[in-house]
Amino acid sequence: MFGLEGYEFLLIQGHQGGRNVVYTCEKEGFDPRILRIAFLPDRSREDFLGEVEYIRYLFEHGGSVSNVVSSKKGNLLEEVTYDDHTFFICLFMKAKGKMLVENHYQYREGAPITEYYYNCGKVLGKLHHISKGYAPVHRRHHFFDKYNAAYIDKRVPESFTLLKEKMVELLASLNELDTNRETFGMIHFDFNDGNYSIDFDTGQITVYDFDNSCFGWYMYDLADLWTHGVGWIQFEPDATKRKQFMDDYFETVLAGYRSETAIDDSMLEKLPLFIQVTLLENILDEFEEVQRSGEEPKCDEELSYLIKCLEDDIPYKGFFHDIYSSDEPFEYEG
């Protein structure tokens, strides 16, 4: 289907919450590729087409993303039915460089870490700028198509009455926000250092894993960047120093972001709200994962921490609150 004769296929180990079977495809003299086979039954052909068309659009308009590779038939998506089960198959260019975790969270030699923060914002700003002109052929879902009271009821066990109430309140707050072209469009919806690679020669970031992408507020991706920035300072015991670091970090991220696209101060003021929404997404994802595996729902310290932050309206993922311990970051004995 994709002309991969002679390539060596190497299975990439799955991770918690992973949805696909993924291979690296390598052949001497050719750029490496990534082959992704989706097998879960909860997404349609339309969903996948919406994703790969968006990626191709981003790439063609200068977005720093792993381009999707057309099949021999010229399709961005191929499907195979075997034993009454449909598999959706896509091929991508492999991003140059490697993930931060593969480099033991060491940034490139001779460059300040602030370059990385700035570049994260810049790459995301460019993607959002391109999204503002995007008119899809195949539409991805809208945030509220998935995140609504019915979905919360389906995923959250009945014993979590307060949690459910807080989640529904959060959605009501979002429902009041503007959805104009400058604030709302296609977003990555999982923008973190597990979903991009860095060229450690140049600092260039290449983004991938758009399979959670949807129509939502651009602030959500920025809130994701905020919540993943805490890792750089999570072992600092002084809350004042953590706060100062996060203010400086996010200021640098925003400088990069604004070098590519505008964002209104009225939306930036909603950062605490959107950080709470990232917690809502994480909690629901945990419960969905447990349901999919058929296990009994149970709350470990990390999930209990997120739930406590939502139930008690603790802002900024509790990072500046008494609930937080630098000895056991983001854990709570529920």
Side-chain angles (χ1 to χ4, degrees), residues 67-334:
N67 192 20
V68 57
V69 179
S70 301
S71 70
K72 285 180 169 179
K73 292 179 181 173
N75 299 325
L76 300 181
L77 178 74
E78 290 289 354
E79 53 191 281
V80 171
T81 302
Y82 177 77
D83 208 11
D84 293 331
H85 193 100
T86 301
F87 299 86
F88 291 99
I89 304 164
C90 330
L91 188 69
F92 303 92
M93 298 302 295
K94 188 173 189 292
K96 199 169 182 189
K98 52 188 177 182
M99 292 191 292
L100 263 175
V101 66
E102 294 171 317
N103 208 45
H104 312 291
Y105 284 95
Q106 300 298 307
Y107 192 53
R108 66 198 199 96
E109 221 172 295
I113 190 70
T114 47
E115 176 192 91
Y116 166 66
Y117 306 155
Y118 184 89
N119 285 349
C120 283
K122 188 176 180 66
V123 165
L124 182 61
K126 179 75 170 179
L127 298 188
H128 287 175
H129 180 72
I130 298 166
S131 281
K132 289 171 185 179
Y134 179 57
V137 177
H138 295 86
R139 285 188 69 84
R140 289 284 288 183
H141 62 278
H142 185 293
F143 176 87
F144 286 126
D145 291 340
K146 178 172 181 178
Y147 297 97
N148 50 52
Y151 182 71
I152 290 167
D153 254 351
K154 183 179 173 185
R155 294 297 176 211
V156 181
E158 281 186 21
S159 54
F160 292 90
T161 314
L162 179 57
L163 177 64
K164 287 187 175 194
E165 284 174 15
K166 290 294 181 180
M167 286 183 161
V168 171
E169 280 175 25
L170 253 188
L171 296 184
S173 298
L174 283 180
N175 211 12
E176 293 171 6
L177 296 182
D178 221 330
T179 53
N180 64 49
R181 211 186 82 168
E182 289 300 309
T183 61
F184 189 94
M186 272 289 279
I187 57 175
H188 187 280
F189 206 64
D190 197 13
F191 195 83
N192 66 72
D193 60 54
N195 288 334
Y196 50 72
S197 289
I198 303 165
D199 181 341
F200 284 89
D201 292 330
T202 64
Q204 180 61 44
I205 292 170
T206 305
V207 187
Y208 39 78
D209 280 2
F210 283 82
D211 56 348
N212 287 322
S213 58
C214 66
F215 281 89
W217 291 268
Y218 297 123
M219 266 310 297
Y220 182 93
D221 280 348
L222 279 166
D224 245 357
L225 253 187
W226 190 97
T227 62
H228 285 89
V230 298
W232 298 105
I233 194 75
Q234 63 182 348
F235 299 116
E236 167 56 58
D238 187 331
T240 309
K241 289 179 181 173
R242 293 198 300 270
K243 175 81 166 67
Q244 186 59 59
F245 174 89
M246 290 307 295
D247 288 349
D248 294 344
Y249 160 79
F250 202 60
E251 193 178 307
T252 308
V253 165
L254 282 177
Y257 187 87
R258 283 178 151 150
S259 73
E260 294 290 349
T261 198
I263 183 152
D264 203 272
D265 285 341
S266 64
M267 284 309 289
L268 286 174
E269 288 165 9
K270 300 285 192 296
L271 177 63
L273 170 69
F274 280 96
I275 290 171
Q276 295 296 77
V277 179
T278 68
L279 304 192
L280 172 144
E281 191 277 333
N282 287 339
I283 294 166
L284 289 173
D285 195 51
E286 285 283 332
F287 282 129
E288 182 179 343
E289 193 61 32
V290 167
Q291 284 181 355
R292 193 187 297 146
S293 67
E295 296 170 12
E296 281 295 308
K298 62 179 188 297
C299 273
D300 60 17
E301 287 87 350
E302 290 177 15
L303 183 54
S304 295
Y305 181 93
L306 298 180
I307 290 170
K308 183 73 174 166
C309 286
L310 266 199
E311 287 185 338
D312 291 8
D313 299 315
I314 301 170
Y316 295 104
K317 204 177 177 181
F319 202 43
F320 317 126
H321 188 274
D322 293 344
I323 189 179
Y324 185 79
S325 163
S326 58
D327 295 326
E328 295 179 323
F330 307 107
E331 292 186 8
Y332 178 74
E333 294 282 348

Side-chain angles (χ1 to χ4, degrees), residues 12-45:
I12 296 174
Q13 287 305 309
H15 61 277
Q16 189 181 353
R19 305 180 48 84
N20 309 297
V21 178
V22 184
Y23 295 89
T24 302
C25 314
E26 295 188 349
K27 184 179 181 179
E28 203 169 324
F30 293 84
D31 289 329
R33 312 275 204 263
I34 297 288
L35 185 72
R36 188 187 79 188
I37 302 168
F39 61 91
L40 293 175
D42 59 347
R43 293 190 183 171
S44 67
R45 185 171 181 273

